[in-house]
Each structure stands twice: as C-alpha cells, then as structure tokens.
Amino acid sequence: MRLKTIFTVTGIAMANAALADHDENQELYRVEDMVITTAHKPFPNTTKGAPSFDISREDMAKNNMLTAEDAIKTAPGVQTRRRFVGDTNALVSIRGANSQQPGDVNVLVDGIPIANHVEARWNGAPKWGLIIPNSVDSATVFYGPYAAEHSGAFGGTIQMRTALPDNFEMHMDVMGIIQDSNVLEANDVLYGHKEYISAGNRFGDFSIMGFFNHLENQGQVQQIDWETRAAGSDGTSVTGAVFGTDETGLLRAYGGDYGIQNNITDLYEIKMGYDLTPDLRALLTVAYEEVSKEQQARTWLKDSSGADYWADNTLVNQGGYDWTANKPSWGAKKMVGQSQETQTMMYGLNVSGELTDNWDIDTTASFFDRFKDQTVKSWYSQNNPAYASDKSGRIEEKDVWWFDGSLKLATQSLFGNDDLGFMAGYQYNRSFLDFDRWASDNVVALEKTTKKGSKSYSGSTGFHAGFMQSDWDFAEGWNLMAGVRYDYWQTFNGYSDDSTPLNDRQLGRASPKASLAFSPTQDWELRYSFSKAYRFPTAEELFLTSDSATGTIQADSNLKPSNGHFHDFQIHNELDGGYARASFFFNEINDEIGVAALKTSSGGSSSNVVNFDRTLTIGAAFDYGQDYILDLPIGLNANVTWLNKEVKAYSSDSTYIGQEWVRTPKWRANGTLTYHATPEWDNSVVIQYRSKPNKYSNQSNQYSNELGNRVFWSMTSYVLTHIKSSYKMDLGDGQTGRFTFGIDNLLDGKNYDSHPYPSRTYYASVGVDID
C-alpha cells in the first residue's frame, strides 16, 4: 500500500568535525571521535573505518556551483556525468563503480536517501534536483562498503548536509548562463538562468528555514540521426548531411538532430527543527520538485529546392553516397517531438542527539514519491510539416517511490569504559517501480489508444538490515574496529510484462567489517580497512527491459546479488592548514551486476543485465589540500586516482575475460588553485583530467580507431579547465553582496560520454545575504 505521508531523515553523521563546545555530560566522549549530525547535535563517529573525503562550504565556493552535484565535482575518484546544467540524468561513478551501476552508490542529503536504487542506467541518477545547491553546507564522500550502516556502496556513499539558522538570515541569488554550443552542424547559442531565495530564523527551541530554487536552461543536442552510408547514386539528391565515422570506425551519414532540450525545474523546500532537550533535536524536511522538459527534432537535409527534407525511410544521396534518411529504429521513429513532466514529493523526519549521559541516537524515516512521470512522444517533430495532420505517437508513464527508515544507537563509553565504543542499528527499505506504455492516436489530447502490454513492467524490492560494530582503543595510538551487517532482501509482485508474473524471492546475507588504525603521532594515521559486502539488484535490473534509439537492455529477474571483498590501506598526514593522504585499494567482486553489450553491424546494440563471474580492481589515490601555503594568499587542492579493473571470469562469453571494465577510466585527476586577492575577492582555476574509458567490455567491441573518435557514442579522454572569480561586498546593516563570474570548459574541448558534454559555458551571478 502506497505510503503518502512519511517523514524524512535529516541526518546521519557528516564530516569529521570536532566539537567546539560541549556540556559536562559530553566530557565523557572522545572529541576527535565525534561528528555533527544534521540536527547539529554530536554523535559518535561510526564511519571512521571508511576512507573518506570531506568538502566544506569554502571548498564548494571555488567551483562554479550550478547544481548540487557540483559539490563533489573535484572529489578524488568521483565523476558525475552531468551532460548540461539541469540534466536529470546526472549519473555518478566512484572508483570502480561506473555510471551504469547506480545501485553501487548511495547519496544522502540531511540523511535522506536520494540515490535512485529503483531505476538503473541513464535514468538511475541520484535525484540531485531535490537539493538546493546554495543550501549545501558540507559534503563527505565515503569510499567503498566499509561502514556497517551503508547499504551496498560498492563504489561509495555521498552524504550532504544543509544548515539550520541560529538567527534570522535571508539569501537571494540570480544567475545567468550562456553556452556557445557546436555539435557537428548544430551550432546554437543556448541560454539559461537560475533564481534562488531562502529565509529562516530561530525562535527559542524552534528553527525554520524555507527555500525556493528555479532553474531554466537549454541543453545542447544530445542525439543525432545517423545511418550507415555506402558508395552509390540511387537515392534522392539532398544536401546538408555531415559525413564521418562512428566510434567503431563505420562510415556514417548524419542527417539531423533530436533538438535542443528546454528544461525548467522548480524546487520548494522547508525545514523545521525543534529541540526536544538541549542535546536532542527533531528535524522535519518537506520538499516538492516539478520538472518539465521538451525538445523537437530538426533535419539538416535540404531537397533540390532548398526546403527541409523530412521524408521517412527514403533512400537519399549526397556526394556519391547513399543512405536511408529518417529511418525508424527499434520499431519507432527517431526524429520525433518529445516532452516529459515529473512531480516529486519528499518527506522526512530525523531525531538525533544525546539520549542519556552515555548513549546517542540518530533515527530517520523518509519517503520519496515521484507521483507523476509522463513522457509524450509525437512521431512527427513539430518542425516536420507532417505534424499538422498526424499527432500520433506514444505515451509512457512511470510510478516510482521508496521508503527508508533507519535507527542508530551509539556510545563511546560502553560499560563505563572510555576506550570502548559501540553502535547498533536497523534499516528498512521498500521501493516500487511501475512502467506502462500506450500507443496514441493523438498525443496532444493525451489519448491512450492501445496499451502495449509487452512494454509494461512492475515490481518491488525491499530489505531489512541489522548492523552493529564496536571499536576499541586497546593501546596508545591503536584502534581496532569490528562489525557486521545482515541484510534480508526480498522481491514482490514482479511482472516482466502486463500478464506474466514472476516468482517472489528472498535472500539473506551477512557482511563482516573491520579496520585497524595506528597513530604514531597526533599528525599521522595509518588505517587498514576490510569489508565483505553485498549489493542486491534494483527493480529495473530485475523487471524492466528498456529500449531507446540506440538499443535495448534486457532485464533479468534471476540476477544474483553482487558480493565482494574490499581492502583499503590509507596514510594520512595533517599539515599546517591542510593535509596529505594516500590510499591503496584492492577489490575482488563475484557475480558483479553489469551490462553485457554487443554492438551490432547496423550500429545499434543488444544488451543484457548480467552477473559477471569475477572482476578485480587494484588502485591508488593521492590527495593534498592546503590553504595560505607558506603564508601566501594561495590555496591548492589536488588529487589523482589510478585504478585498473578487469573482468577475470565470465562463463557466458570468454571474450570478456581480461578486458577493462566498461566506462571506467584508469586515471582521474583534479586540481584547484585559489588566489585570495583580498579577504573579499577570491579567484580559482580548476583543472580536471580523465583518461579514455572503454565503452564496451569485450575484445570484439573495442574502438576501431586507436585514438578513439570524438563522436557520438564514444567515450573520450578530456582535460577541462574552469575558472571562477567571486567578490563579497559589505553593504551595511548586516547585508553582504556577492558577485561571481565563471567559465566552464574554458578551452572549449569536444568531449563525450556517449553524448556530448557542454561547450564553453559562461556564468554570472549576483546575490545578497542578510543576517
């Protein structure tokens, strides 16, 4: 039964922050082992066995912060595939978990899980739009499944925290966006803007903060009409096509694009906190998001009279080559018009802080409900004259929701022993997916003419989990931590189509965790962490077979859970005003859930969600951060991650064995140089590097061009340069003006993750803070 009003979470422990002050009871705690919860109350650090990377508000200010995922833009070993500002399909990958494995990454904001563990692949991106970027106060990236409280997390867990006011405050911001986009023959100047306002205050034990964020932006062309070309002279003569080769070296003719994507997002959010005691707070979060997207295909072809050429599935000729223009793909037209509307509610309640002198609580309940998700495709673009008399097409609707509840109790003085800490907890999760498709004789009237039963799927997954761990300071400078997590996973009411029910499934798995740390001095720490972990399939991986203009991905209701052994050894050194750190990791995963893709001769793909028998990852990460180096007004943050992940065993197809893991670059690196020109004026340069990932997984599907074509469907290496200049001005009466200017992709590189990334993009904003 659908839960319509369940309250959210706001806070599992965030950064490794020390407490500035604490009352007499809190003197019992080891201050360095405490964190601050979302409710701004202390809680024992129950994630210290997981290697992590902390990001402060000051760190975020060095980037062009357009949407929430920019907060983790330069974190080591992390990449977000945001194709343009406002992209709802901004997938995130961490270390060896690629962008087609969204189930391997957790994302929480104020304790609320917004990682989409229901859908998969391109539509399984975290719901970044539910985070107002200006409200993010800090973020932490945890690498791997080393914390007992983190479900799955083969790649890692991202936790973000927003702030509550202690006094009256108001923030306003207006931003303009311009992109000079050049994608083959699609040369467009694209515009966008963003408006943000928040206000809040504290009244005794009660705090309240309200937010509104509006974003409108045009995304560059993401798909094109391509067909195989061959020497000939039989077709109708046209002009305007672009000739080239695809990422596998096949000769192609490009005859049009799917259009500019116009995106509008509105987010309304309110947070209310109440101090139940001076050390225990309840925090309620309610958010509503509305997103609309629209695009219309455009032909580049011209007939002999110079008019747009739109004829469907016809042989055409240009420059001595024949090909079929406007050819349907996978049973559907490609050069279409498309719109999508989604509406989402998110509710949550968190209670965290001190229960007794020695015990703390962090308990949350949250509900995500995307109660409207409708995609409408007209078989003729509005730019096509045929649209005037034929409004046929198809309508797709999705229903997605998940509920998550968790409880943690912890102490740093078990049985009165200040050297012994303990945590125990419980988590329950239930999620649901339903997808339906109709053929429509009139999409303008939203007429659902015929339901496509073979393209309708549904199903639900859920789990109960119990976890506990204990850490022991057994000698001077030494800490030992051990824990275990047990998951009981289930599927419910799965359907592979409208009429074929699937058997329900139940599985139980235990995951041990351990770490050993040694601090020879106050500034040095060495820590080895180990975990065995399981990642269970998502609803879409089990039930929903998806298709697009480029291929079909077949679900598998019999998927086994991935299971792996994870090792990490980290050396950390505190510097004056900064730190230096090195991490070495080794992962062996059995039955890893992934997509086995086979590129067809026609350029499409036939793919299946499968269990790869065994993969192996070895890697190293180095990161350094320091501000005011040698007392100069200069700050530097730099990191580099190298890893090699290979398929070691796959009984279904031996050609995969020994091949690189799909979409996983060997090298990632980020550098941020900041010049504090004055206390009010900061200037930053950010450089990001990625080596070329392999798009396919087996030998027969390697790129034909050794250099890797920078074309649609390829995955390229890149070096991106971004700049930002920000200035603060005291306006008096508690008001501060903010002025920023930035450019992303300064050198205008042409980069692809199947789809093109933005060309050079300009940002300018003006804001006012009142407190």
Side-chain angles (χ1 to χ4, degrees), residues 64 73 82-83 178-182 220 686-688 710 718-724 742-752 756-763:
N64 294 311
K73 188 174 186 174
R82 188 185 68 189
R83 300 170 299 167
I178 299 177
Q179 181 191 167
D180 184 11
S181 177
N182 299 282
Q220 74 277 10
V686 177
I687 298 177
Q688 297 180 280
R710 293 183 177 272
Y718 59 63
V719 177
L720 298 173
T721 302
H722 319 299
I723 62 173
K724 180 180 180 181
I743 304 175
D744 276 355
N745 194 5
L746 177 68
L747 303 181
D748 202 25
K750 306 304 178 187
N751 308 303
Y752 288 81
Y757 280 125
S759 303
R760 185 185 295 117
T761 306
Y762 303 85
Y763 313 103

Side-chain angles (χ1 to χ4, degrees), residues 578-721:
Y579 70 94
R581 180 167 47 219
S583 185
F584 306 91
F585 52 93
F586 176 82
N587 307 329
E588 185 177 31
I589 303 175
N590 300 310
D591 296 323
E592 181 158 10
I593 299 171
V595 176
L598 176 64
K599 193 76 171 180
T600 64
S601 59
S602 64
S605 63
S606 176
S607 306
N608 296 279
V609 184
V610 301
N611 289 113
F612 288 90
D613 295 353
R614 185 165 65 94
T615 66
L616 200 65
T617 304
I618 185 171
F622 305 89
D623 59 290
Y624 160 81
Q626 196 168 18
D627 213 359
Y628 289 94
I629 301 171
L630 300 176
D631 292 327
L632 297 174
I634 295 173
L636 177 63
N637 294 82
N639 59 73
V640 59
T641 300
W642 174 86
L643 65 84
N644 184 60
K645 182 173 183 177
E646 293 182 359
V647 177
K648 290 300 184 181
Y650 183 46
S651 56
S652 298
D653 186 348
S654 61
T655 62
Y656 280 81
I657 299 174
Q659 301 306 313
E660 296 176 16
W661 191 241
V662 64
R663 298 173 183 257
T664 306
K666 277 186 163 63
W667 291 94
R668 291 187 179 108
N670 302 283
T672 303
L673 181 66
T674 304
Y675 172 53
H676 307 288
T678 71
E680 297 81 22
W681 184 20
D682 277 355
N683 302 274
S684 298
V685 177
V686 177
I687 298 177
Q688 297 180 280
Y689 169 75
R690 181 188 77 175
S691 62
K692 184 176 80 66
N694 179 27
K695 183 178 179 183
Y696 307 109
S697 294
N698 63 345
Q699 187 63 46
S700 62
N701 284 328
Q702 293 285 349
Y703 294 113
S704 297
N705 184 338
E706 290 298 324
L707 298 177
N709 293 329
R710 293 183 177 272
V711 295
F712 279 82
W713 318 123
S714 70
M715 300 194 71
T716 62
S717 62
Y718 59 63
V719 177
L720 298 173
T721 302

Side-chain angles (χ1 to χ4, degrees), residues 377-398:
K377 293 184 179 181
S378 57
W379 292 140
Y380 295 103
S381 165
Q382 293 179 16
N383 296 313
N384 187 339
Y387 177 79
S389 57
D390 189 342
K391 303 294 193 300
S392 63
R394 75 184 183 199
I395 297 173
E396 297 175 345
E397 291 185 349
K398 276 187 180 181

Side-chain angles (χ1 to χ4, degrees), residues 434-667:
D434 182 78
F435 176 84
D436 295 298
R437 178 183 292 175
W438 292 267
S440 174
D441 292 337
N442 189 334
V443 295
V444 176
L446 298 179
E447 179 182 314
K448 299 174 182 176
T449 307
T450 305
K451 188 171 185 180
K452 298 293 185 180
S454 62
K455 295 294 183 182
S456 298
Y457 312 88
S458 66
S460 184
T461 64
F463 66 81
H464 299 266
F467 49 89
M468 65 176 65
Q469 68 183 37
S470 182
D471 69 292
W472 177 31
D473 293 336
F474 63 90
E476 182 68 26
W478 289 89
N479 177 267
L480 175 66
M481 187 179 73
V484 66
R485 177 186 178 95
Y486 181 81
D487 289 274
Y488 180 72
W489 174 81
Q490 298 172 281
T491 69
F492 311 89
N493 305 319
Y495 281 82
S496 61
D497 55 47
D498 247 7
S499 58
T500 307
L502 302 169
N503 293 329
D504 292 348
R505 298 173 59 192
Q506 302 85 30
L507 293 171
R509 296 290 187 270
S511 307
K513 321 282 182 180
S515 75
L516 177 65
F518 174 56
S519 298
T521 70
Q522 186 175 0
D523 296 332
W524 285 89
E525 182 182 80
L526 292 79
R527 181 179 291 272
Y528 165 72
S529 300
F530 165 80
S531 172
K532 181 174 183 180
Y534 291 85
R535 199 277 268 184
F536 295 91
T538 66
E540 183 168 334
E541 290 168 337
L542 292 165
F543 308 125
L544 197 155
T545 295
S546 61
D547 59 30
S548 68
T550 58
T552 297
I553 299 180
Q554 178 69 47
D556 183 357
S557 61
N558 295 311
L559 284 173
K560 293 179 284 188
S562 303
N563 68 93
H565 296 85
F566 298 81
H567 309 262
D568 187 278
F569 177 68
Q570 181 174 276
I571 305 170
H572 182 98
N573 178 219
E574 287 291 325
L575 304 174
D576 184 17
Y579 70 94
R581 180 167 47 219
S583 185
F584 306 91
F585 52 93
F586 176 82
N587 307 329
E588 185 177 31
I589 303 175
N590 300 310
D591 296 323
E592 181 158 10
I593 299 171
V595 176
L598 176 64
K599 193 76 171 180
T600 64
S601 59
S602 64
S605 63
S606 176
S607 306
N608 296 279
V609 184
V610 301
N611 289 113
F612 288 90
D613 295 353
R614 185 165 65 94
T615 66
L616 200 65
T617 304
I618 185 171
F622 305 89
D623 59 290
Y624 160 81
Q626 196 168 18
D627 213 359
Y628 289 94
I629 301 171
L630 300 176
D631 292 327
L632 297 174
I634 295 173
L636 177 63
N637 294 82
N639 59 73
V640 59
T641 300
W642 174 86
L643 65 84
N644 184 60
K645 182 173 183 177
E646 293 182 359
V647 177
K648 290 300 184 181
Y650 183 46
S651 56
S652 298
D653 186 348
S654 61
T655 62
Y656 280 81
I657 299 174
Q659 301 306 313
E660 296 176 16
W661 191 241
V662 64
R663 298 173 183 257
T664 306
K666 277 186 163 63
W667 291 94

Side-chain angles (χ1 to χ4, degrees), residues 65-88:
M65 186 85 170
L66 282 301
T67 50
E69 58 266 40
D70 282 326
I72 58 171
K73 188 174 186 174
T74 58
V78 177
Q79 182 196 341
T80 303
R81 193 207 68 158
R82 188 185 68 189
R83 300 170 299 167
F84 51 84
V85 176
D87 184 13
T88 58

Side-chain angles (χ1 to χ4, degrees), residues 218-393:
Q218 294 178 314
Q220 74 277 10
V221 166
Q222 292 298 308
Q223 297 190 54
I224 54 175
D225 179 33
W226 49 263
E227 296 299 337
T228 302
R229 60 185 167 96
S233 58
D234 298 327
T236 302
S237 180
V238 296
T239 59
V242 176
F243 292 157
T245 57
D246 68 7
E247 79 280 14
T248 64
L250 295 175
L251 298 178
R252 299 297 191 192
Y254 306 109
D257 62 65
Y258 287 20
I260 295 169
Q261 189 172 122
N262 297 286
N263 302 272
I264 302 175
T265 301
D266 288 309
L267 176 62
Y268 306 82
E269 186 171 340
I270 189 168
K271 294 181 180 293
M272 294 178 285
Y274 183 75
D275 291 341
L276 302 171
T277 73
D279 302 302
L280 183 68
R281 176 178 289 172
L283 183 61
L284 171 69
T285 301
V286 179
Y288 169 75
E289 181 196 36
E290 186 172 14
V291 179
S292 64
K293 300 187 286 187
E294 187 268 342
Q295 62 191 100
Q296 300 293 329
R298 306 178 295 187
T299 183
W300 303 343
L301 303 182
K302 304 288 184 181
D303 62 19
S304 57
S305 67
D308 290 345
Y309 185 86
W310 281 99
D312 285 340
N313 209 20
T314 56
L315 191 68
V316 295
N317 176 271
Q318 178 182 312
Y321 288 96
D322 286 338
W323 73 94
T324 304
N326 301 334
K327 181 181 179 180
S329 177
W330 301 95
K333 296 180 185 292
K334 293 190 294 182
M335 298 286 283
V336 303
Q338 178 171 304
S339 63
Q340 182 182 17
E341 290 189 15
T342 62
Q343 295 180 27
T344 302
M345 288 294 299
M346 182 177 73
Y347 314 86
L349 180 66
N350 166 250
V351 177
S352 59
E354 184 180 296
L355 274 180
T356 69
D357 289 351
N358 290 330
W359 284 91
D360 298 271
I361 186 172
D362 189 1
T363 182
T364 64
S366 65
F367 185 60
F368 171 96
D369 186 7
R370 196 166 78 220
F371 58 90
K372 181 177 182 179
D373 185 343
Q374 184 179 74
T375 300
V376 177
K377 293 184 179 181
S378 57
W379 292 140
Y380 295 103
S381 165
Q382 293 179 16
N383 296 313
N384 187 339
Y387 177 79
S389 57
D390 189 342
K391 303 294 193 300
S392 63

